[in-house]
Each structure stands twice: as structure tokens, then as C-alpha cells.
Amino acid sequence: MAHTVTFIPGDGTGPELAEATRRVLEATCVPFTWDRREAGLDEYERSGNPFPDETLDSIKRNRVGIKGPTTTPVGSGHRSINVLLRRELDLYACIRPCKAYDGVRTRFPETDIVIVRENTEDLYAGIEFERGTPENAELRADLEKLGAKVREDAGISIKPISVFGSERIARAAFEYARANGRRKVTAAHKANIMKFSDGLFLEVSRRVAEDYPDLEFEDRIIDNLCNQLVSRPEEYDVIVLPNLYGDIVSDLGAGMVGGLGVAPGANIGTEAAMFEATHGSAPKYKGQNKVNPTALMLSGVLMLRHLGESDAADRLESAIAAVIRQGDRVTYDLKPTRDDPTAVGTSEFADAVIEEMP
Ligand code: NAD
């Protein structure tokens, strides 16, 4: 039976990348029914709403979607579609594999890690008290009664980390590790300083680890983890982190394996799973058939695995890896210099992947 998937092209270079990805996914011979829906800047300009209800309803119905990047205007316009999606669908786990493929220029060729980032809590929960407001003064007064003095001219951001949030993200990391043949989960934290937030995250992660005796578990203080990732990346496997550290380490990981053009992602929740590249809409290249579709294609590989199509996922991943390894039919960012005249476009890269499909 065909998999029905919500297909959101996005804006900027999104539609070109999404089309290339749709073609390679179909070339695996897995049957798909694409429920095409709009979101992003183009839709905002057309209808005044960047995220129509039909799009959200479609994802809720199909429970799985793949999405091209969408632009978030700075300062004015609409809110980030990605933030809306995460909130509306409770997409609490962000999964970002960072694997160095042969042929990509990287200083860290041994890297093959998976970052599992908590998406809903921590300093990104949006609980903030602006300097100089009555709410800020009230909070500081209450804190003072509790023995915590905060300077009058301070802005305050609150860092909530719960048992509920920590348990489900730790479980997501172990389940991912088990389903994908990984051997170890590392929890990253700063529990030595933030005993009641990061300390709780660590305590819950340790408890969850006991339910997975087939997998190794260890923990690292976040600064030490960053140091070790760039000195001994081969020692790391699946890494689970609270929201802020996860955000930073995801970009570190993307940089370690060759940059944004090759960094895929998945946001998984209780209601649905959404697959998309780490990078943005790169609007300056819109319509030029220029940018690298690898990140969205590899997000498609994650989607295939999520749908239980592991054979197709392996074949698509190995076709992408072969094209990158050969290096002749790749986009500008994978060439030795960015103005290399032999670089191919987005759609020709997809043609090459389809030709290489085993
Ligand atoms: P960006 O990732 O779009 O682009 C930054 C630069 O990275 C580009 O100029 C380009 O040189 C390079 N790059 C990005 N993707 C590439 C690819 N596939 N192939 C080759 N090179 C690539 O980041 P930005 O310019 O900061 O953001 C543009 C817009 O995208 C913003 O509105 C931002 O809010 C949005 N954004 C969306 C998402 C998403 O939809 N998931 C994620 C991040 C940013």
C-alpha cells in the first residue's frame, strides 16, 4: 500500500530541493501518495497566512511529512513555521544524524554521530521577563524572599527541565539507537552547575538507560563533550541533549561533516513526524537550480526508515554516498572551489542519484 505523506515544498530554494527529493524517493520504487500542501513566505504573500489550516490538518491526518525550508522574515511579517509546527504537533525530539561521507571535505572524516535534541523545554521555553518591566520587578522581589538576589537591571530567562520532558527525549534516543543498530547513548549536561535542571535531566536519563541493558550509556559535561567531539569524534554515537546544548551541538556536528548542504533532520512527536534539512531557504539562490539537495534527500532517507522501508532507505543512502564519493556530478558546495565550472545543478544531482540507485 502507498504511504500517504504531506509534501510541503516551502519557499526560496525549497521547491527545487523538494522536487529533487521527491524524484529520488520515487526512484526507490516505494509507492507514495503525495498530499501537497503550502507553507512559507510565498503562501504568506499569496493568501496572508503562511501556515494554512489545511496544511496542519494534512500533517495531523497523515502523521508524516517532508518539508522544504521556509523563510522567516526578520523583524516583521510572520512567525517561524518551524516553531509553529513544533508547537502544534508537539514535535519534541529533533534527530540530526551527522555522518562524514567520503568525498565531502571535512577535518573529521571519522564522524558518525546522531544528535537527539529535546525541542520543547529549557531556555527556549519562552519564559522571559524583560528588564525594567513590572513583571520582572515582581519576580525579582519573589526571588529575593526566597534568598536569591538578582540585579535590578537584569533581564531574566527561565530554564525549565521536567521529568516528563527528560524521560521522553531519553527514551527517544534509546529507541532510535536500538532501531538503527547503534551501540551507545551519551547524555550531555552541565549537572555540576545546574543541579536541579540539568541534574534532573541526567538523573532521568540514567534511569531510562536501565531499561536498555543492550545499549551502553555514559554522560559527559557539555563543555567536555565539545572538546572531545573535535578531538575523538569516533568515540561518540548517539548523543541526547536538552534544547540549548542540542541546538549548538547540532550545528557543530553539521560543520564537522561538511556543512549545511549535507545535514539532514527529523522532528518527531506524539502527533506526527516531520522530515527536513537543517539549512534554511537560501533565498539568494532561488530559482537557479544551484543548491545541494543532499540534506533534504538524506532527510528522505530518515523518513523511509521511519516508515519501515529500511531496504529503500539503504539503497537511497548508498546512491547519494556514491555520487558524493565520485565527486564529478555534485553541486558547487561539494567541489574543491565554489566557482568550479564542472559543478552540476540541483536537478542534475538528483539525476545522478537516480542513476546510482542499486
Ligand atoms: P540558509 O541555511 O538558508 O543559508 C545560508 C547559506 O548556506 C546560503 O547562503 C548558502 O551559501 C548555504 N546553503 C544553505 N543551504 C544550502 C544548500 N542546500 N546547498 C548549498 N549551500 C547551502 O540560512 P539563512 O540565510 O540564515 O536563512 C535563510 C532563511 O531560511 C531565513 O528566513 C531563516 O529563518 C530560514 N530558515 C529556515 C529553516 C527551515 O525551514 N527549517 C531553517 C533555518 C533557517
Side-chain angles (χ1 to χ4, degrees), residues 67 69-72 82 276 278-282 284 291-292 332-333:
K67 171 182 168 296
T70 45
T71 304
T72 308
N82 301 308
E276 64 176 329
T278 299
H279 62 72
S281 55
K284 69 179 174 192
V291 292
N292 187 353
Y332 76 101
D333 55 310

Side-chain angles (χ1 to χ4, degrees), residues 73-353:
V74 179
S76 61
H78 61 78
R79 293 193 58 196
S80 161
I81 305 291
N82 301 308
V83 172
L84 286 172
L85 270 172
R86 265 175 224 165
R87 212 188 46 213
E88 290 289 335
L89 299 168
D90 192 25
L91 302 176
Y92 65 87
C94 179
I95 300 189
R96 296 231 171 116
C98 302
K99 178 168 167 179
Y101 289 95
D102 276 356
V104 173
R105 279 182 314 286
T106 162
R107 292 170 198 267
F108 308 98
E110 310 285 311
T111 312
D112 182 7
I113 58 177
V114 180
I115 313 289
V116 180
R117 163 188 170 190
E118 203 287 326
N119 251 345
T120 65
E121 302 197 316
D122 197 350
L123 283 167
Y124 292 10
I127 310 172
E128 301 211 277
F129 297 87
E130 189 181 356
R131 174 180 69 95
T133 60
E135 293 79 8
N136 178 300
E138 196 178 329
L139 177 62
R140 281 186 298 100
D142 284 348
L143 286 171
E144 195 161 350
K145 277 187 226 147
L146 296 168
K149 191 153 174 54
V150 176
R151 286 197 185 94
E152 200 184 327
D153 59 354
I156 303 173
S157 302
I158 306 276
K159 171 171 167 141
I161 290 194
S162 69
V163 172
F164 174 83
S166 302
E167 165 137 18
R168 68 176 180 174
I169 196 66
R171 236 170 246 296
F174 280 99
E175 289 294 331
Y176 182 92
R178 197 179 256 175
N180 290 277
R182 299 272 172 169
R183 66 193 157 80
K184 180 168 80 171
V185 174
T186 305
H189 59 85
K190 191 81 181 172
N192 50 333
I193 305 292
M194 285 167 278
K195 296 185 176 24
F196 305 130
S197 49
D198 285 22
L200 185 67
F201 177 81
L202 175 59
E203 181 194 319
V204 172
S205 300
R206 278 196 181 125
R207 205 166 59 221
V208 170
E210 288 169 11
D211 294 341
Y212 298 85
D214 49 319
L215 294 166
E216 214 183 303
F217 174 73
E218 62 178 18
D219 71 277
R220 288 281 179 279
I221 293 178
I222 183 67
D223 35 348
N224 184 26
L225 176 82
C226 291
N227 180 314
Q228 294 202 356
L229 274 178
V230 294
S231 47
R232 301 200 291 274
E234 67 281 2
E235 288 184 11
Y236 289 89
D237 195 346
V238 175
I239 307 173
V240 60
L241 312 96
N243 208 340
L244 171 65
Y245 309 142
D247 190 9
I248 298 167
V249 174
S250 295
D251 264 40
L252 174 67
M256 287 171 68
V257 298
L260 287 171
V262 294
N267 285 298
I268 314 254
T270 43
E271 304 282 313
M274 181 58 68
F275 297 84
E276 64 176 329
T278 299
H279 62 72
S281 55
K284 69 179 174 192
Y285 296 127
K286 177 180 179 174
Q288 294 180 24
N289 186 37
K290 183 175 170 84
V291 292
N292 187 353
T294 299
L296 194 54
M297 288 180 178
L298 289 173
S299 306
V301 170
L302 294 176
M303 183 177 83
L304 286 168
R305 293 200 202 289
H306 179 82
L307 293 169
E309 300 284 358
S310 54
D311 171 62
D314 289 345
R315 285 187 290 115
L316 177 53
E317 185 178 7
S318 83
I320 296 166
V323 172
I324 294 175
R325 190 169 55 243
Q326 293 155 7
D328 48 350
R329 290 176 296 172
V330 295
T331 46
Y332 76 101
D333 55 310
L334 295 179
K335 290 286 187 183
T337 59
R338 297 212 148 206
D339 53 2
D340 190 319
T342 67
V344 304
T346 310
S347 67
E348 290 74 23
F349 185 100
D351 295 339
V353 171

